[in-house]
Amino acid sequence: MAHTPSHDDYVDKIRRLAEHIKTHPDEARAGVAKLSAAAQQPAGDILKIFVSDKDPQTKFAEIQKIKAGLSAPVRAEIDQHKQDLAHKVGILTLEEILERLEKLADHIRAHPDEARAKVATLSPAAQKPFGDIVKIFVSDKTPKEKFEETRKIRETLPSDVSSRRDQRRQGGARQEDRNRPAPPSLERHN
């Protein structure tokens, strides 16, 4: 499956964060030392996994296993520390991404004509699959279900449709789209 430019950018930021931690271990240890005594050991273990050369799925599974064995307060403390680190390098956490996507879905639900008008500007070959994606996006399905269903549609897109989509995401969008301010619900929180 080809990844979108935004996905590739996100993965690159994660990779650079891991490289930064590898090249500045004292800084990472100092950050962990600021945590409570109960959170320091598991946070250190998570960092070791994060900077390891293991594949991302293995890292994720091992980190989830560690977090599953923690008390709720320790897990919350480690998650807050992770969020603070992510924000320092300009990365949104999964929870923040899902929150923003839900706000966008709410906006589309409240303004369906606007969404239909946007889809209508696409090529005839792109209108049906992207209309279906919008319907899935605003449904009551779980984020995982939405991702899986939209992924299946994206994988079946003709190459000319998916390449135009990727070009728009890379900045090939019309000038008026670039100049339009984002809806207030999508502005970045600092």
Side-chain angles (χ1 to χ4, degrees), residues 10 60 82 91-100:
Y10 184 81
F60 180 79
K82 175 188 76 172
I91 300 172
L92 296 175
T93 63
L94 176 60
E95 294 80 16
E96 291 168 320
I97 292 169
L98 293 175
E99 178 184 328
R100 288 182 182 200

Side-chain angles (χ1 to χ4, degrees), residues 168 171-180:
R168 290 182 76 141
R174 292 172 301 201
Q175 185 66 33
E176 63 265 24
D177 288 343
R178 279 187 245 139
N179 292 334
R180 183 182 310 140

